[in-house]
Amino acid sequence: MNQKQTAFVTKELMLRAVKDSFVKLAPKTQLRNPVMFLVYVSAVLTTALYVCSLFGVADARPGFILAVAVILWFTVLFADFAEAIAEGRGKAQADALRAARQDVTANKIPSPDRRDEITRVKSACLRKGDLVLVGVGEQIPADGEVIDGAASVDESAITGESAPVIRESGGDRSAVTGGTTVTSDQLVIRVTSEAGESFLDKMIAMVEGASRKKTPNEIALQILLVALTIIFLLVTVSLYPFSAFSAGQAGMVNPTSVTALAALLVCLAPTTIGALLSAIGIAGMSRLNQANVLAMSGRSIEAAGDVDTLLLDKTGTITLGNRQAYELIPVDGTDIHELADAAQLSSLADETPEGRSVVVLAKEQFGLRGRNLGGLHASFIPFTAKTRMSGVDYAGNEIRKGAAEAVRAYVAGQGGAYSKQCEEAVEQIARQGGTPLVVAKNGRVLGVIHLKDIIKQGVREKFADLRKMGIRTVMITGDNPLTASAIAAEAGVDDFLAEATPEGKLQMIRDLQAKGHLVAMTGDGTNDAPALAQADVAVAMNTGTQAAKEAGNMVDLDSSPTKLIDIVRIGKQLLMTRGSLTTFSIANDVAKYFAILPALFMGLYPGLSALNIMGLHSAESAILSAIIYNALIIVALIPLALRGVRYREVPAAKLLSRNLVVYGLGGIIAPFIAIKLIDMLLVLFGLVL
């Protein structure tokens, strides 16, 4: 789903948007936007007035009525176009996803040990809980969880990444998505979604906007816009009898007309933001989709913009994720070569990055190369979360490698002594932000392996930027408090949670929320699900479990924990764009007020000529100039609505003051200049009286 484009819009997207603009002229569709529906009604009214003028019933010059009607219709079309072009991007993404979703034949089996009893059924007929067998080159027929086997899976149809990923039973990489393809081995998958409710179906619905609901902020703003529109409607309607009465008293013809008042109402109503409001929301979701993040609701994007606390995993987010063996520290007079030999032997079957780095260190610093273990009759002890140790038994010898406390208990169980020197070495490594692994042989401590976490380049600067934004960062790690404190200080985070457990994460989020904070976090495992469900913004990794995906309100298709920072930026940009354009739209009304009202009533009240500061040619030219500007500014602001107002990592007060100057003061000045220029052009080409 990597949909980044080099061009702002393509020719195909433009043509599709133009077509959809006319489709959206249906009254039922227009009713969804009350402000623009008023413009729609005004366009219908002025069109009817023009038809009446052809039969001699006219309240203004027929040419003027026609011009107003045409401009109002274009205003409605431009608003529809803004929404259509925002939706068009999502529809293009949805079309690509639909191409990936095919109704394939699935190999349904009764159980993992009865793989030869295959029943071939259409993928649309699969139900939640069914078991399917998927082999090399076959498409996974539905969302599910691997319950047996391990295989490479091509997820490029979903993520846009061509490199296959490993999916296997157990652990946090068991979830698979329908529409992806197995490229090696075989998988037995338990279906976890009903037909039509798959992850791909949800993606299609979200990106094309079919399931987009207005957010609370969007609804609140629309209520405000409707309230302003009603006020302007009442004011405009009251102007006609007031003008008629004043003209009668002065023995003059009423200078106002229904056509002019309709134009005035459209100009005074907040039509600019009314036209762009929906496009801003859709574009915000589209920008998130282009970052390969799927938001389950627009509300979560807005929440991301208001987040003030980020919970970030240490491994893979703050650090590179692969701790490296940095140093061997012998204790109690142990020869360092003996320590290196034992460390290497205990790590030969350890396929973790840390285990492999120990083997590399022993080779590079001590010349210890691979050895033949066949004659040793070695038995390797795998690492478990319970024992927190691994090791090897061979020729009557026992070597254990693991966390300090675990090895201490092992040594005590063997009748050995855990030395003071070892404790000091462990504490020293922890204070430096490293991870100590103690090595023991036959109940005797040999020394300590110093595993070093590598802080990602530029991460400290990123956290400094977040601090400027008013966002507090909290590092979550399973390390002991000493190690966590050292890494937190080096990375520049504001706080940390050491020896983190699922319960600890959940409690921390609840405590922060109780204090009024909005919290965001990432996670990928089943044990992260409770915390993800509690967080205000929860980003689940696409590589994670089904439980994590269901608990989160966003899914990162790239499975990058650092994506959370980008999500916050996009959320803030969405809120800024909506606020800035609302400010600009309302500020515009000031200029349009000075353009139309003095021109309309100068005949009745000559003193109003002082307000005609633009020196517009006539009432007709003033009205036409104002509504032409009102229509064109919608088109001019479409690129800004889609791209979003530029966000900078500066304090909120500074950002607010800058945007008030640009979009508030700019919103007042720009219309004065534009309306005057349009008036001069109308006069130049003889289009007004």
Side-chain angles (χ1 to χ4, degrees):
M1 206 181 87
N2 223 355
Q3 302 292 331
K4 294 177 182 178
Q5 303 178 48
T6 55
F8 182 65
V9 290
T10 62
K11 183 180 177 181
E12 184 182 352
L13 184 60
M14 183 74 75
L15 292 173
R16 186 174 190 169
V18 170
K19 179 185 174 183
D20 288 346
S21 301
F22 286 93
V23 173
K24 289 177 179 289
L25 287 176
K28 188 177 178 181
T29 306
Q30 293 295 319
L31 268 169
R32 283 186 260 168
N33 189 337
V35 177
M36 294 313 299
F37 181 70
L38 183 69
V39 183
Y40 180 81
V41 171
S42 299
V44 172
L45 174 63
T46 51
T47 303
L49 289 173
Y50 173 69
V51 173
C52 291
S53 72
L54 298 178
F55 297 95
V57 183
D59 70 340
R61 191 169 59 88
F64 173 69
I65 300 173
L66 176 63
V68 171
V70 169
I71 296 166
L72 293 183
W73 279 117
F74 270 107
T75 304
V76 176
L77 282 170
F78 291 159
D80 291 343
F81 179 78
E83 186 177 51
I85 204 161
E87 289 176 346
R89 292 181 163 189
K91 287 177 179 178
Q93 293 173 344
D95 290 342
L97 291 169
R98 283 194 184 92
R101 185 184 62 183
Q102 300 174 7
D103 191 12
V104 297
T105 302
N107 299 319
K108 187 177 175 182
I109 58 175
S111 65
D113 55 350
R114 296 164 62 186
R115 301 188 183 192
D116 54 338
E117 301 177 30
I118 293 174
T119 305
R120 298 180 68 81
V121 298
K122 290 289 184 183
S123 57
C125 299
L126 291 172
R127 295 292 178 263
K128 191 174 181 178
D130 288 346
L131 300 183
V132 293
L133 179 67
V134 187
V136 179
E138 294 179 343
Q139 190 177 100
I140 296 173
D143 290 357
E145 192 171 8
V146 178
I147 62 170
D148 191 46
S152 299
V153 178
D154 179 5
E155 296 185 342
S156 58
I158 308 296
T159 66
E161 296 295 331
S162 57
V165 295
I166 302 299
R167 292 290 177 263
E168 58 189 352
S169 60
D172 296 338
R173 296 188 297 176
S174 60
V176 291
T177 306
T180 57
T181 305
V182 175
T183 58
S184 73
D185 303 298
Q186 251 185 10
L187 296 174
V188 177
I189 298 166
R190 180 188 293 114
V191 177
T192 56
S193 66
E194 300 288 352
E197 298 176 3
S198 69
F199 184 63
L200 203 57
D201 291 315
K202 291 176 182 176
M203 282 181 68
I204 292 169
M206 292 305 301
V207 300
E208 71 178 354
S211 62
R212 192 184 97 87
K213 295 180 180 177
K214 290 180 180 177
T215 64
N217 284 348
E218 204 171 345
I219 293 170
L221 179 56
Q222 193 163 64
I223 291 170
L224 173 64
L225 298 180
V226 170
L228 287 174
T229 302
I230 292 171
I231 292 169
F232 288 129
L233 177 62
L234 293 172
V235 170
T236 306
V237 170
S238 67
L239 283 177
Y240 190 84
F242 177 77
S243 174
F245 175 78
S246 298
Q249 291 293 103
M252 299 171 55
V253 177
N254 187 0
T256 63
S257 63
V258 175
T259 303
L261 291 176
L264 175 64
L265 174 60
V266 170
C267 286
L268 293 183
T271 51
T272 306
I273 185 61
L276 297 172
L277 186 58
S278 180
I280 293 168
I282 296 169
M285 188 168 285
S286 179
R287 284 195 295 276
L288 204 63
N289 292 333
Q290 288 170 9
N292 261 12
V293 178
L294 177 67
M296 299 305 174
S297 69
R299 186 171 186 172
S300 60
I301 305 175
E302 284 188 353
D306 288 328
V307 159
D308 59 11
T309 305
L310 290 184
L311 270 57
L312 302 156
D313 281 330
K314 181 201 73 174
T315 306
T317 304
I318 296 171
T319 65
L320 291 175
N322 298 334
R323 290 175 293 188
Q324 303 293 309
Y326 174 71
E327 185 184 11
L328 298 178
I329 305 171
V331 298
D332 300 335
T334 302
D335 183 76
I336 194 168
H337 290 88
E338 183 185 0
L339 172 61
D341 183 73
Q344 187 212 41
L345 276 171
S346 63
S347 302
L348 287 174
D350 188 351
E351 291 301 318
T352 65
E354 294 88 346
R356 290 195 294 268
S357 75
V358 172
V359 175
V360 171
L361 182 68
K363 177 184 175 181
E364 291 180 348
Q365 291 193 9
F366 304 96
L368 297 176
R369 300 186 177 273
R371 61 190 77 186
N372 183 14
L373 297 176
L376 296 178
H377 303 290
S379 173
F380 290 96
I381 313 300
F383 176 88
T384 66
K386 186 177 181 180
T387 63
R388 300 178 69 195
M389 288 192 307
S390 61
V392 60
D393 296 339
Y394 71 99
N397 295 299
E398 290 185 2
I399 298 175
R400 295 293 183 271
K401 176 193 72 180
E405 292 302 317
V407 177
R408 180 199 289 269
Y410 163 76
V411 170
Q414 296 291 312
Y418 192 80
S419 73
K420 181 72 174 175
Q421 194 176 355
C422 182
E423 286 182 359
E424 290 172 354
V426 167
E427 187 174 338
Q428 182 63 28
I429 292 169
R431 289 188 184 279
Q432 293 173 6
T435 301
L437 291 180
V438 178
V439 180
K441 183 176 182 180
N442 298 328
R444 180 173 69 90
V445 175
L446 299 181
V448 186
I449 303 170
H450 180 176
L451 295 180
K452 194 172 183 179
D453 275 302
I454 309 298
I455 304 293
K456 286 184 176 179
Q457 189 175 3
V459 76
R460 189 177 184 89
E461 290 75 13
K462 280 187 178 180
F463 291 145
D465 288 342
L466 289 170
R467 199 170 295 112
K468 291 177 185 174
M469 295 156 55
I471 296 174
R472 180 169 168 264
T473 52
V474 180
M475 181 186 77
I476 299 174
T477 177
D479 292 334
N480 64 68
L482 277 175
T483 302
S485 176
I487 295 173
E490 187 180 353
V493 296
D494 299 305
D495 200 357
F496 64 89
L497 176 65
E499 298 176 343
T501 62
E503 295 79 12
K505 293 179 190 177
L506 182 60
Q507 189 57 50
M508 186 177 201
I509 293 171
R510 284 174 174 169
D511 291 343
L512 288 167
Q513 289 173 332
K515 295 175 183 176
H517 297 285
L518 279 172
V519 182
M521 75 163 289
T522 61
D524 60 357
T526 302
N527 63 342
D528 293 323
L532 286 170
Q534 183 66 37
D536 299 288
V537 177
V539 186
M541 304 292 105
N542 189 45
T543 56
T545 62
Q546 196 67 30
K549 287 183 183 180
E550 289 175 359
N553 47 34
M554 294 186 187
V555 177
D556 177 18
L557 301 178
D558 294 331
S559 300
S560 170
T562 56
K563 194 67 70 67
L564 191 58
I565 296 171
D566 298 323
I567 292 169
V568 171
R569 286 198 180 100
I570 291 170
K572 287 187 176 294
Q573 189 183 39
L574 171 64
L575 296 176
M576 279 177 49
T577 303
R578 188 184 293 149
S580 298
L581 293 186
T582 300
T583 303
F584 185 86
S585 177
I586 294 173
N588 270 207
D589 290 343
V590 176
K592 289 180 282 188
Y593 172 89
F594 278 99
I596 296 179
L597 281 181
L600 273 178
F601 295 103
M602 277 191 304
L604 280 174
Y605 304 101
L608 287 176
S609 58
L611 296 179
N612 187 21
I613 57 179
M614 286 180 274
L616 300 177
H617 177 72
S618 65
E620 279 194 7
S621 71
I623 291 169
L624 290 177
S625 299
I627 62 173
I628 288 171
Y629 169 80
N630 195 63
L632 293 180
I633 196 63
I634 295 172
V635 179
L637 291 175
I638 287 175
L640 184 61
L642 298 186
R643 291 196 182 101
V645 172
R646 186 180 175 187
Y647 177 72
R648 294 176 174 85
E649 284 82 5
V650 297
K654 188 175 180 180
L655 204 59
L656 178 61
S657 60
R658 179 189 174 275
N659 287 344
L660 281 174
V661 171
V662 174
Y663 298 100
L665 186 60
I668 293 174
I669 296 172
F672 277 98
I673 299 170
I675 290 171
K676 179 59 180 177
L677 287 173
I678 295 170
D679 178 77
M680 291 169 65
L681 289 172
L682 291 175
V683 174
L684 179 65
F685 291 103
L687 299 175
V688 291
L689 295 176

